[in-house]
Amino acid sequence: MEFCFTTIASGSSGNCIYIGSEKNNLLIDAGISGKKVEQGLATIGVDPSNLNGIFITHEHHDHIKGVGVLARRYRLPIYATPLTWQAIEQMDTIVGDIPQECKQVVQKDKEILINDIVVQPYGIPHDAAEPVAYSFYKNKKKISVATDLGHTNDYIEKNLAESNLILLEANHDIDMLEVGAYPYFLKQRILGSSGHLCNEVAGQILSRLYHPKLEVAILGHLSRENNFPALAYQTVYNELVADDIGLLSSFQLKVAEREGVTDIYQI
Ligand SMILES: [Zn+2]
Ligand SMILES: [Zn+2]
């Protein structure tokens, strides 16, 4: 086993993901309160003072809400792309001050080594300053986390390829979104090429990415208003079955809980 993985929160109202290894306790995003992050970590037996860093995907509220509190309380490194830092600094009412020594910069397509894990950030299309997804490598294992993206392309799918665990966004059901109560501009934003992935497209992407060493695919960042877990699961499952993938026993398809720790995966 190289990695330990779980979601502490995943959805349009807050995201926080944990990746651990022998020498690391990392978070991707902290878009819930600092207290909820601490509670989630306590559930899996991780002391927040042993965190080695938080990797930020982008500056939207549901990804950074607790970052300031955690940075001030634990003085841990926070990694984000240059324009994401600029955007966060302009929104200091959400996160408050982040100590200067905690601010670490990552660049798209430049891997960074954190103890025993190599972290690779890569750009994704989303209506934020400089959003990224991340892949994590340790020995021959790879975990990828990609949420908040309007679409994929060859570059993104190459970065996601050969993962042993993928957390992929399945944000909305198009029909629920279209008949739902959201205002027109917001529907257009979500459906747009820099918005969010719908269930069908998430299924098609997973189908293309499937390979025999993919152990777990977790659907995440579900919309509270325009999706629900059983629908996301079934829609993606149907896409996989259509390509003869869903029936393999060596592969698990899961849906992340919106709040609270989902299953813990050892990869
Ligand atoms: Zn976003
Ligand atoms: Zn989001």
Side-chain angles (χ1 to χ4, degrees):
M1 192 226 10
E2 304 294 344
F3 288 111
C4 183
F5 180 97
T6 194
T7 58
I8 294 173
S10 183
S12 45
S13 41
N15 296 276
C16 182
I17 289 152
Y18 169 83
I19 293 186
S21 67
E22 203 183 315
K23 295 183 180 165
N24 269 309
N25 293 293
L26 302 176
L27 295 180
I28 303 146
D29 293 328
I32 50 178
S33 70
K35 194 175 173 197
K36 282 191 177 164
V37 173
E38 289 166 350
Q39 286 168 348
L41 289 171
T43 313
I44 56 170
V46 173
D47 181 339
S49 60
N50 291 332
L51 284 173
N52 298 86
I54 305 177
F55 284 85
I56 306 296
T57 58
H58 64 297
E59 71 277 16
H60 287 161
H61 186 258
D62 56 318
H63 298 262
I64 62 165
K65 186 179 169 193
V67 167
V69 171
L70 294 167
R72 289 188 292 279
R73 196 168 290 165
Y74 301 106
R75 300 273 151 175
L76 73 171
I78 312 291
Y79 300 89
T81 54
L83 296 182
T84 301
W85 271 126
Q86 260 183 35
I88 291 173
E89 281 157 8
Q90 285 162 9
M91 299 160 54
D92 58 1
T93 48
I94 293 177
V95 294
D97 271 346
I98 295 180
Q100 204 56 39
E101 75 267 22
C102 297
K103 292 182 185 173
Q104 302 291 327
V105 173
V106 289
Q107 302 283 356
K108 284 190 254 185
D109 306 315
K110 278 204 176 153
E111 60 182 42
I112 158 170
L113 176 67
I114 310 288
N115 300 317
D116 56 352
I117 296 179
V118 173
V119 185
Q120 171 85 358
Y122 40 98
I124 50 171
H126 190 53
D127 51 2
E130 195 181 4
V132 288
Y134 290 102
S135 289
F136 300 82
Y137 298 83
K138 182 169 183 280
N139 294 329
K140 291 204 159 89
K141 296 290 184 171
K142 174 178 179 183
I143 286 181
S144 298
V145 174
T147 66
D148 300 68
L149 62 170
H151 64 276
T152 57
N153 50 34
D154 285 351
Y155 159 76
I156 295 170
E157 292 192 17
K158 261 185 204 143
N159 275 290
L160 293 170
E162 304 294 320
S163 298
N164 303 99
L165 181 151
I166 299 178
L167 176 92
L168 183 68
E169 170 172 63
N171 178 257
H172 57 275
D173 173 78
I174 291 179
D175 291 338
M176 280 182 78
L177 178 71
E178 281 178 343
V179 301
Y182 274 13
Y184 179 76
F185 79 90
L186 190 51
K187 290 181 182 179
Q188 293 308 107
R189 200 210 117 201
I190 294 168
L191 290 167
S193 68
S194 296
H196 291 276
L197 292 180
C198 70
N199 295 336
E200 278 95 343
V201 172
Q204 290 157 10
I205 294 166
L206 282 178
S207 186
R208 287 196 293 277
L209 291 174
Y210 179 79
H211 63 107
K213 290 187 177 162
L214 176 61
E215 296 169 41
V216 188
I218 305 168
L219 307 176
H221 207 296
L222 272 64
S223 162
R224 188 182 295 277
E225 287 78 16
N226 302 312
N227 209 355
F228 56 93
L231 179 60
Y233 181 93
Q234 194 60 47
T235 309
V236 170
Y237 183 80
N238 291 348
E239 296 287 342
L240 295 173
V241 169
D243 292 332
D244 293 330
I245 292 166
L247 305 174
L248 297 169
S249 60
S250 58
F251 166 67
Q252 301 181 63
L253 177 65
K254 296 280 182 171
V255 182
E257 300 285 338
R258 284 203 182 91
E259 289 179 20
V261 169
T262 311
D263 301 337
I264 297 167
Y265 302 97
Q266 298 191 329
I267 295 296

